[in-house]
Amino acid sequence: MEGVPSTDLFKKNTAAFVHELPSEAISNAAGDNNYVRVQVLTPVNVLNEKKQVGVVRELTDIVAAAAGDRTLAKQDLGTHHGIS
C-alpha cells in the first residue's frame, strides 16, 4: 500500500481477509444491500490519520473494482482501527 511505513512491525502485522456474502446476508437499517464494508486493522500509532484514510480509500477502490461496481467506491463506509 502506498504511503505506509516499510517496517517489520507493519509488514508482520498486515493481512487481508475477504468475505463474500450473498446480497441478502447484509443490509443497512433501511434494507439497502448494495454496498461493501472495508475495515482496516493496524498496530496502534503506525499510521497517522491521513494514511489511515488513504489505506481505507485504496482498499475500498480495490474492492469496488473487483465487484465490478465503481459506485461502491463512492460510499464512505470504511473504518480503521488501531490494535495493540
Side-chain angles (χ1 to χ4, degrees):
M1 309 273 352
E2 184 177 333
V4 297
S6 183
T7 64
D8 283 341
L9 175 67
F10 193 85
K11 291 177 184 176
K12 291 179 180 180
N13 289 291
T14 301
F17 302 93
V18 177
H19 305 277
E20 185 173 359
L21 301 171
S23 62
E24 65 275 1
I26 187 170
S27 70
N28 60 20
D32 300 327
N33 60 6
N34 59 335
Y35 63 91
V36 297
R37 178 177 181 202
V38 173
Q39 183 176 21
V40 179
L41 305 172
T42 63
V44 173
N45 298 324
V46 170
L47 299 177
N48 63 30
E49 185 176 352
K50 182 178 178 181
K51 289 181 180 178
Q52 291 171 13
V53 170
V55 169
V56 170
R57 169 62 21 217
E58 188 172 346
L59 289 171
T60 302
D61 290 344
I62 290 168
V63 170
D69 184 352
R70 301 300 299 163
T71 64
L72 296 173
K74 295 179 182 180
Q75 300 176 27
D76 186 21
L77 298 172
T79 61
H80 172 269
H81 301 280
I83 56 173
S84 48

